[in-house]
Amino acid sequence: MTMSTKFGRIAAAKALSGSVMLCLVGAPGVAWAQDQELRNENPDEIIVTAQKREQLLSDVPVPVTAIGGGDLIAQNQTKVEEFFASVPGVNLQFQNNRSQLAIRGITTGPVSGNPVVGYTIDDAPFGGATSQGGLFGSAPDLDPSELARVEVLRGPQGTLYGAASMGGLVKYVLVKPDLGAFGGSVAGGLSWTKRSSEVGYNLRGAVNVPVSDTLAVRASGYTRKEAGYIDNVRTGESDVNSSRVSGGRLAALWEPTDGISLDLNALYQVRNIYGSSNVDSTTGSFYQQTDMPGTGRSRSETQMYTATFNADLGGVDLTSITSYSRAQSYDNLDFTASPLVEFAPIFPTLFPDQPGLGDLFYQEYNVDKWTHETRLAGSFGDSVDWIVGGFYTKENGDYSLDNSAIDPVTGDTVGVPIDDGNGPQLGTIIVWRDKIKFEEYAAFANVDLILSERFDIQVGGRYSHNDQSMDHNDWFQYDPYPAPAFPSTNQPKASGSAFTYQVSPRFKPTPDHMVYARVASGYRPGGPNAICGPLALPFDVPCEFKPDKTVNYELGAKGDLADGALSYDVSLFHIDWTDIQIVQVLDVFVYNGNAGKARSRGVELGLTARPMDGLTISGWYAYVDATLREAVEDANFFAREDDRLPFSSEHSARLSIDYEFFPSSSIEARIGGSATYVGDRKGEFVPFEGVYDLRQNYPSYTQFDLYASATMGQFTLSGFVQNVTNKHGVIGGGFWNQTTYNANWFNYARPRTIGFNAEMKF
């Protein structure tokens, strides 16, 4: 066992309540071959991979929340907007049927600049590094059936994870094949949502096959339907926002000799959402909308293929990860109330006598992404653990939109055609096409200096360089066809380099208590603007926007009291954010710029009590003060100093209770519940000073959830009630919001949902 393992505290925590907040400390350089030994020695403890290897929850100086995939299914938290809502310091931005995250308040809105939160699937980066292809960093909506756990790392993670993790990182950890035994499971369930005439369902199955002593294969598949509950009073359709998700995974693990392994993974998922979750507040109902016919549909298709090679080279551990991912998505959005496209004033010759037209905004956004990382880890005696590595990624992103006038009754396109070189398209007013290439190289290193049994210091750095190029084309039909559409083309480029770092000393006054500090930086790359320079005259639009940076200063403490009956962890943080990327609007197009400074500071406190066998009471509280430090009065972006950043709750909290007991010798039962409080939030910044007082306010709300299960041998039956009191918590929408483009449209938390699941293992 290495010094860093000996240095770790043996905690008594178990991931029982679906959301456990962990603040962890340790070194990165423990041998890969000892990971399984670590699991065998500590079977009841939470193990995470926050620092690119398996570690006990007490061994990483990063605030981490770990959520088990089984707990997500038991509580029916199958969508990202459901399970991320229970993570401290994390707020959701629900945009066009997608969930985007703000961690510790680091955001200025869902479409402002490149992504601020990074995502990995089994340590391979997923999603676009640019706003165009990845559509501003949407959280992957993976079904939890194949997830061992989800880890949320709060604060900048630029040293080990690079660009796009300046706010934090989300790691999806998949279930691995097992060389030890044949087995599997079959599961299914039903659910009922308030005000829905549909029944939701899910079917899941998985099988693990040891082909030989050195090779195992795991295959799985799933499908689920979530009932719609919103009625469209314009079209007369009921339950329009139903959805269906289907997918599968094939994985193989090959261990030809001790110290060598190869993991292969292929993942595929399709998500179809058949209508938006917009609610029109003018109807007086939480279950009605007035979206135009033919709008609201969205689809995403996700593929990911990963090969991970590990080898013990005799004192040095080699890890090599190669991945290819493809994400293809489209949305049909209702832009009728958009301030960007109002047909009458912008296109007066096209629609002189046609008031009340609808506006269909069809957009596609696709990313093809290759990544490779090679790293080496080892030790110099008992006093130094180290890791060094290199990283490369290349991605091609496509973004396209077609903006069309539609009949508000039938949904048919109306008006005159546009000819973009592929023939006239009826009713299309704007055609926009972007292709962007992003390429990045990086090198990183982390060293843990163990100065004594009680004190060590971890130091790390990362240098990265990126190059970007864009091919932009658009057509605007200002005058009636056959007048030619007004075309424009542009090929802007951008490049940049960055150095990120982290320093993390820790001190253990006793084996059960630890104090640590952390200084860490993060950044996200800048990029090119599609319309800029002479094309944007008379406006001064730069062809390249700059990267922005965060620096996090943190002090934490944690430990166990009363022989593990009570555990605590507390973290105080201060984040400085400079050169903030913001979205700006000119005429009928948007571009990215940089403006000002912001600050986020706060405290996160977690407590876990185990007053008796089987009973766990956990709670956390987070205070986040995320504000601008400079006023911004730029093109259609207005904010004052000390304004709250969008979507961040100043106060949030969660309390959960979980009790495991044995009503008989053959039955293991579990009951539990949680209360999650989301504080009031502010919407996006407004376009100009005259509407400053109209900036959207989202009120606070508390959601209660219950669950229970009984296991009899290989059979488990579980039930759940989500949103017990049917609270209509606002998660998006309102004035000047890029979510709905209508001041009267809002998105609410899912109504009360009741259901059960049955699982049989073999």
Side-chain angles (χ1 to χ4, degrees), residues 429-609:
I429 310 305
I430 302 173
V431 174
W432 187 287
R433 302 289 185 264
D434 285 338
K435 292 182 179 294
I436 186 166
K437 295 182 179 180
F438 178 91
E439 191 170 22
E440 183 185 40
Y441 305 83
F444 59 90
N446 235 36
V447 177
D448 191 8
L449 304 175
I450 303 169
L451 303 179
S452 74
E453 287 290 327
R454 292 187 176 186
F455 183 66
D456 73 343
I457 301 176
Q458 188 178 125
V459 179
R462 184 186 189 101
Y463 175 81
S464 60
H465 176 82
N466 71 84
D467 292 298
Q468 302 177 56
S469 61
M470 177 185 287
D471 183 8
H472 168 76
N473 296 273
D474 67 57
W475 295 263
F476 284 68
Q477 187 74 46
Y478 284 104
D479 296 311
Y481 186 82
F486 180 78
S488 64
T489 62
N490 200 14
Q491 287 80 39
K493 295 182 178 181
S495 63
S497 301
F499 177 76
T500 53
Y501 58 87
Q502 67 97 8
V503 180
S504 303
R506 66 170 182 163
F507 174 68
K508 300 191 68 172
T510 72
D512 293 328
H513 301 276
M514 180 187 68
V515 178
Y516 71 92
R518 184 170 187 259
V519 178
S521 66
Y523 92 106
R524 60 174 165 172
N529 280 313
I531 295 182
C532 62
L535 285 180
L537 293 175
F539 306 109
D540 182 19
V541 177
C543 287
E544 179 178 356
F545 60 97
K546 298 187 299 183
D548 51 356
K549 301 177 182 179
T550 54
V551 180
N552 178 75
Y553 307 92
E554 192 155 354
L555 180 65
K558 63 177 178 175
D560 287 339
L561 300 169
D563 294 326
L566 178 65
S567 300
Y568 68 90
D569 55 73
V570 59
S571 176
L572 291 84
F573 65 88
H574 176 106
I575 301 175
D576 287 326
W577 185 9
T578 56
D579 292 325
I580 301 171
Q581 293 178 16
I582 61 173
V583 66
Q584 297 168 274
V585 184
L586 287 178
D587 199 9
V588 295
F589 69 91
V590 300
Y591 71 95
N592 286 312
N594 300 85
K597 301 177 181 179
R599 177 199 64 202
S600 177
R601 60 186 180 183
V603 59
E604 296 160 343
L605 171 66
L607 297 171
T608 300

Side-chain angles (χ1 to χ4, degrees), residues 640-660:
R640 297 175 180 173
E641 185 178 351
D642 294 327
D643 274 0
R644 288 255 303 272
L645 296 180
F647 301 102
S648 64
S649 299
E650 190 172 14
H651 303 277
S652 59
R654 179 178 171 88
L655 176 67
S656 62
I657 300 175
D658 186 279
Y659 182 49
E660 286 184 311

Side-chain angles (χ1 to χ4, degrees), residues 78-244:
T78 57
K79 295 189 298 184
V80 290
E81 62 262 30
E82 294 167 343
F83 59 83
F84 282 130
S86 63
V87 177
V90 175
N91 287 100
L92 292 166
Q93 307 162 64
F94 192 75
Q95 186 227 9
N96 304 333
N97 291 329
R98 293 177 306 280
S99 296
Q100 293 163 308
L101 306 183
I103 299 179
R104 290 180 169 176
I106 302 301
T107 181
T108 56
V111 294
S112 294
N114 290 325
V116 294
V117 175
Y119 301 94
T120 66
I121 300 176
D122 267 1
D123 244 4
F126 180 85
T130 65
S131 59
Q132 291 91 341
L135 208 67
F136 315 105
S138 300
D141 195 6
L142 301 182
D143 189 89
S145 61
E146 278 297 281
L147 294 177
R149 64 189 176 277
V150 181
E151 301 173 13
V152 182
L153 288 65
R154 301 186 298 282
Q157 308 297 324
T159 301
L160 287 178
Y161 295 99
S165 61
M166 62 180 287
L169 183 86
V170 177
K171 295 173 63 73
Y172 295 83
V173 182
L174 303 177
V175 178
K176 291 184 177 296
D178 185 358
L179 291 170
F182 173 83
S185 64
V186 177
L190 300 173
S191 62
W192 294 265
T193 298
K194 182 177 175 63
R195 290 294 298 265
S196 176
S197 60
E198 302 178 328
V199 178
Y201 64 82
N202 69 83
L203 294 171
R204 297 179 171 93
V207 62
N208 184 88
V209 181
V211 179
S212 68
D213 292 340
T214 61
L215 176 64
V217 176
R218 179 182 177 89
S220 64
Y222 55 86
T223 184
R224 75 174 191 261
K225 177 185 178 181
E226 294 182 333
Y229 51 87
I230 295 175
D231 300 334
N232 190 320
V233 296
R234 180 187 295 274
T235 65
E237 298 174 282
S238 300
D239 304 327
V240 296
N241 63 321
S242 64
S243 66
R244 179 174 282 106

